Amino acid sequence: MLILGSLVALILARVAAQLWLNALNVNEASRWASEAPSWLAGAIEEDRRRKSVDYTLARAKVSAFDIVYDAAILSVVVFSGLLPRLYSAITGTLGTSVWVSAAYVVVVGIVLSIPGLPLDAWVQFRLEERFGFNRTTVRLWIVDRIKGLVLGIVIGYPLLCVVLGLIQWTGRMWWLWGFVVMVAFQLVMLVLFPKVILPMFNKLEPLPDGSLKQRLIALAGRCGFQVSAIQVMDGSKRSTHSNAFFTGLGRFRRIVLFDTLIASMTEEQIEAVLAHEIGHSKKGHVIKGLILSILVTLVGFGVLGLLVERPWLYDAFGFAPGQVAPLLVLIGLTSGLATFWLTPLGNAISRKHEYEADAYARQAVGTPTPLVEALTRLAESNLSNLTPHPWYSGFYYSHPTWVERRAALLREGAVSRA
Ligand SMILES: [Zn+2]
């Protein structure tokens, strides 16, 4: 009873925090609905700015609904006894081998992905459509979901078989083996993602020869940055949101530019965006990110190792002793209730890295101007919220706001020129 009570409290605490942050953000955006704050006046096109307020408010409504909807579904799944009942039904007919247990986890995963689909579709085809972002057709949207599902099964099922097998085969220290397997898996995915998975969803083509390519290669050379390829991705097939990123590691890494980015920016601006991406690598963010993710995986498996051995936990949720698979599903579903509170910590680290990459780009290009212009373009075209509530952005934002980044870029520019 105590455990179930604590779980209810954790669910309610998270919903309350999420709704409250959302409400703070709505108030802050509404304040500037009709008139730009003084620090924005003239810097952003006024009709884009107003539209960004509308977009922020429309998204906030969806998010409020989503928060409550998610919590409701989580509660139903956790408290209804659905998990142990489904487990008994499946193992009753197929037996209790590792293969069957892993299949059970996959089936639960598929079933639990269904309730979110209508909302996803509504966001894509109503909300994003209304603000002119959507380029996805219904057909493409469905094909994407099916591909994601097949990929999830093809990758997830064998991985689950291994982890569940380790629990049976390696005894009490299974979690350490599980950790090793998972880290190896992450490293393989780093290499496979850009080569195999990304091309399943998007067309990637080498950046054509020309002045832009020369400029970008010259920049990489100046920065002493080795890259195996600069590619253009057809992001425009789904959305007009634009972006740039790089994937892979070491000599496998490649820069990916959205076609929407290339279409909307000057060569100087794209160069500045790439310099920012190179900055992430040069400042060691990629390696730090990898180490952090390995540590998080270790802690995660350590906690799993402890929890799997607690008989009272099985009792509390109606699982028979030794029904590890449903317990793992339950822990997977509820772990977010604890890790949610660490969100601001992870984002604070990420924002620090963004400032460092911006500073690197400013130095590599020799002036802050093109990056400031590029960020302004991105903010305008993506209708970014320019005035988030500081608590909201402090909690959820992985990047500093446009105002913060511009201020830092211009400040550092002034310091180094002095
Ligand atoms: Zn960045």
Side-chain angles (χ1 to χ4, degrees), residues 137-406:
T137 59
V138 174
R139 189 190 139 87
L140 177 62
W141 189 85
I142 292 172
V143 170
D144 277 352
R145 294 298 168 295
I146 293 172
K147 276 190 202 165
L149 177 69
V150 172
L151 203 59
I153 296 172
V154 168
I155 296 176
Y157 181 68
L159 196 64
L160 279 162
C161 287
V162 173
V163 172
L164 287 167
L166 286 170
I167 298 180
Q168 282 198 359
W169 307 322
T170 60
R172 293 200 63 193
M173 295 307 278
W174 73 270
W175 59 273
L176 206 53
W177 290 104
F179 159 73
V180 171
V181 166
M182 198 54 86
V183 169
F185 168 74
Q186 286 176 358
L187 293 177
V188 169
M189 285 308 285
L190 269 179
V191 178
L192 285 191
F193 178 78
K195 289 206 152 191
V196 179
I197 295 175
L198 199 54
M200 289 170 68
F201 292 88
N202 284 91
K203 209 154 76 197
L204 291 143
E205 280 172 346
L207 182 65
D209 289 327
S211 55
L212 177 61
K213 187 173 174 184
Q214 277 173 11
R215 183 186 275 269
L216 298 185
I217 286 177
L219 170 77
R222 265 200 327 276
C223 298
F225 181 79
Q226 279 197 340
V227 54
S228 68
I230 303 175
Q231 293 180 312
V232 183
M233 188 177 105
D234 59 345
S236 60
K237 122 174 157 182
R238 294 193 178 78
S239 158
T240 60
H241 286 295
S242 50
N243 211 340
F245 59 93
F246 74 105
T247 68
L249 202 63
R251 61 192 182 84
F252 296 106
R253 75 188 154 197
R254 53 188 68 196
I255 302 273
V256 179
L257 304 170
F258 278 41
D259 54 355
T260 41
L261 188 86
I262 293 178
S264 66
M265 286 194 188
T266 66
E267 293 189 359
E268 286 84 354
Q269 291 163 358
I270 297 171
E271 181 187 21
V273 169
L274 180 57
H276 169 96
E277 295 302 326
I278 292 176
H280 278 307
S281 172
K282 286 279 159 183
K283 295 281 174 184
H285 302 161
V286 181
I287 293 298
K288 281 182 202 164
L290 193 62
I291 292 172
L292 186 67
S293 121
I294 290 174
L295 286 177
V296 168
T297 308
L298 180 62
V299 172
F301 270 94
V303 171
L304 273 184
L306 283 176
L307 291 178
V308 157
E309 288 182 16
R310 309 293 121 174
W312 44 262
L313 204 53
Y314 293 84
D315 269 5
F317 292 95
F319 304 150
Q323 291 191 340
V324 178
L327 189 74
L328 288 185
V329 170
L330 182 91
I331 295 170
L333 287 174
T334 52
S335 61
L337 297 171
T339 55
F340 168 75
W341 305 97
L342 297 174
T343 314
L345 185 67
N347 282 332
I349 296 172
S350 168
R351 288 195 300 268
K352 179 171 170 281
H353 289 170
E354 293 305 324
Y355 280 126
E356 289 173 5
D358 280 353
Y360 180 91
R362 190 197 57 73
Q363 205 173 25
V365 177
T367 156
T369 313
L371 188 54
V372 171
E373 287 170 359
L375 292 175
T376 307
R377 267 287 148 88
L378 283 173
E380 283 176 349
S381 65
N382 289 333
L383 292 176
S384 308
N385 182 7
L386 300 161
T387 54
H389 191 281
W391 292 3
Y392 186 90
S393 55
F395 201 98
Y396 287 119
Y397 277 29
S398 61
H399 289 56
T401 65
W402 173 81
V403 175
E404 292 165 337
R405 289 178 79 175
R406 185 181 64 151

Side-chain angles (χ1 to χ4, degrees), residues 10 15 54 67 70 86 89 98-99 120 141 144 157 203 232 262 316 322 347 358 361 390 407:
L10 282 173
V15 166
D54 292 342
I67 290 164
D70 269 358
L86 189 60
V98 161
W99 318 107
D120 283 354
W141 189 85
D144 277 352
Y157 181 68
K203 209 154 76 197
V232 183
I262 293 178
N347 282 332
D358 280 353

